[in-house]
């Protein structure tokens, strides 16, 4: 009976297997953090749109009335101070109007489906620039990942699937080469991915501390209490508009 020859795995091959497992874990963790960041950005953008449509337009109207008042005062009692105040209030009114009626006010409600979130995770795991083999590959992945984020924000699952399919068919997506080179590449990918996870966490913390995020949290707390915070703010600004009129 012939003895079956079993090749012993070399130490570098064992290490490569371990690093592949670690890389798979890091890929999944990075994809989850990317998804969390994309979700939070979209939620803030959506809430900001609601705020601008419901409250911001009223602040724009209030600033317009205050600018008119300042201009009338400057014409009735001319002075350098009155003229400067009129100019400042007019500039503020124009800035408020532009901000209120800009792209941010058109942001729609963001409610991603389970399929959309699943596609985003898969795209982040496979396409993320942190897993590039060289600079050319990184540039390609960076461009595709920007498209992935845009498709996710638009709720376009078909576009996400199309990006994934196109990437899978690219020659650049094929993995290979020798054990040593692959081991070095994987170690570097793991290191870069961990750095990016930390950077994403820092960005999330900054977003959570922003004024719009705090207002969003206050609105959610008020909603749990049966109140509509944006409606309350709108009512307050309307009262100030009546006073200005």
């Amino acid at each position: 009976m012939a003895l079956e020859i079993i090749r012993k795995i070399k130490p570098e091959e064992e290490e490569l297997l371990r690093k592949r497992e670690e890389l798979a874990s890091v890929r999944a963790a990075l994809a989850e953090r990317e998804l969390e960041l994309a979700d939070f950005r979209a939620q803030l953008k959506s809430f900001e749109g609601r705020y601008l449509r419901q409250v911001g337009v009223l602040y724009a109207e209030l600033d317009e009335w205050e600018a008119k008042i300042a201009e009338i005062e400057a014409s009735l009692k001319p002075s350098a101070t009155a003229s400067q105040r009129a100019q400042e209030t007019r500039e503020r009114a124009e800035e408020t109007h532009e901000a209120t009626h800009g792209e941010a006010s058109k942001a729609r409600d963001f409610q991603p489906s389970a399929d959309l979130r699943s596609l985003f995770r898969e795209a982040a795991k496979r396409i993320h620039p942190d897993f590039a083999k060289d600079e050319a590959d990184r540039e390609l992945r960076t461009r595709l990942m920007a498209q992935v984020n845009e498709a996710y924000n638009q709720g376009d699952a078909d576009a996400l699937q199309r990006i994934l399919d196109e990437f899978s068919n690219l020659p650049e997506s094929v993995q290979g080469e020798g054990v040593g080179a692959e081991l070095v590449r994987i170690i570097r990918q793991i290191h870069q991915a961990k750095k990016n996870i930390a950077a994403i966490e820092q960005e999330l913390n900054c977003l959570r501390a922003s004024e719009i995020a705090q207002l969003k949290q206050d609105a959610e707390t008020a909603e749990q209490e049966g109140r509509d915070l944006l409606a309350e703010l709108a009512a307050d600004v309307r009262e100030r508009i009546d006073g200005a009129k």
Side-chain angles (χ1 to χ4, degrees):
M1 180 177 178
L3 293 176
E4 184 179 354
I5 299 176
I6 301 176
R7 186 176 71 84
K8 186 177 181 181
I9 298 178
K10 297 178 182 178
E12 61 268 27
E13 292 175 328
E14 290 183 356
E15 181 63 16
L16 180 57
L17 289 174
R18 285 194 292 270
K19 287 300 179 183
R20 281 174 177 167
E21 292 177 357
E22 184 179 355
L23 179 59
S25 175
V26 171
R27 278 181 187 268
L30 180 58
E32 285 297 329
R33 301 308 279 165
E34 287 281 6
L35 177 60
E36 183 179 358
L37 179 59
D39 268 346
F40 198 58
R41 282 174 176 164
Q43 289 167 13
L44 287 184
K45 185 177 179 181
S46 174
F47 177 78
E48 183 181 16
R50 283 176 51 210
Y51 170 81
L52 289 173
R53 292 189 297 271
Q54 194 169 345
V55 183
V57 291
L58 295 175
Y59 271 115
E61 184 180 351
L62 176 61
D63 285 346
E64 176 64 24
W65 278 105
E66 290 182 344
K68 289 179 180 178
I69 291 170
E71 288 164 352
I72 292 171
E73 288 177 342
S75 66
L76 292 175
K77 297 180 180 179
S79 70
T81 300
S83 178
Q84 182 179 357
R85 182 175 183 278
Q87 181 180 349
E88 290 174 351
T89 53
R90 172 53 59 192
E91 289 175 354
R92 185 173 69 244
E94 291 174 354
E95 290 174 359
T96 306
H97 183 275
E98 183 178 351
T100 301
H101 296 86
E103 287 301 314
S105 66
K106 301 172 186 176
R108 59 180 180 77
D109 288 342
F110 184 72
Q111 295 179 334
S113 66
D115 287 343
L116 188 69
R117 290 169 61 84
S118 179
L119 279 170
F120 183 93
R121 286 191 190 93
E122 185 63 21
K125 284 190 284 187
R126 292 169 58 185
I127 300 176
H128 201 284
D130 283 357
F131 308 122
K133 294 183 290 186
D134 51 43
E135 192 56 37
D137 189 27
R138 177 175 294 277
E139 290 179 5
L140 170 67
R141 289 169 178 266
T142 299
R143 177 168 53 80
L144 290 177
M145 199 63 202
Q147 294 176 14
V148 166
N149 277 287
E150 179 61 24
Y152 184 73
N153 288 337
Q154 295 299 323
D156 194 339
D158 290 338
L160 269 176
Q161 186 63 64
R162 189 164 56 250
I163 295 167
L164 269 170
D165 292 342
E166 290 175 357
F167 178 76
S168 298
N169 292 325
L170 290 173
E172 293 85 347
S173 67
V174 178
Q175 302 295 319
E177 302 177 23
V179 172
E182 186 178 358
L183 185 58
V184 171
R185 185 171 65 246
I186 288 176
I187 289 172
R188 290 179 179 177
Q189 289 174 345
I190 291 171
H191 175 72
Q192 186 60 45
K194 287 181 177 178
K195 283 180 62 178
N196 265 13
I197 289 172
I200 289 172
E201 184 62 39
Q202 185 175 6
E203 183 174 353
L204 280 167
N205 288 336
C206 289
L207 287 174
R208 292 183 184 115
S210 65
E211 288 185 11
I212 192 66
Q214 292 295 318
L215 182 59
K216 178 176 178 294
Q217 180 62 50
D218 291 343
E220 290 170 353
T221 301
E223 185 177 5
Q224 293 172 359
E225 298 171 353
R227 296 165 43 228
D228 187 336
L229 181 62
L230 295 187
E232 292 173 5
L233 291 173
D236 178 66
V237 182
R238 286 194 189 95
E239 186 176 338
R240 293 169 63 183
I241 290 172
D242 290 340
K245 289 179 179 179

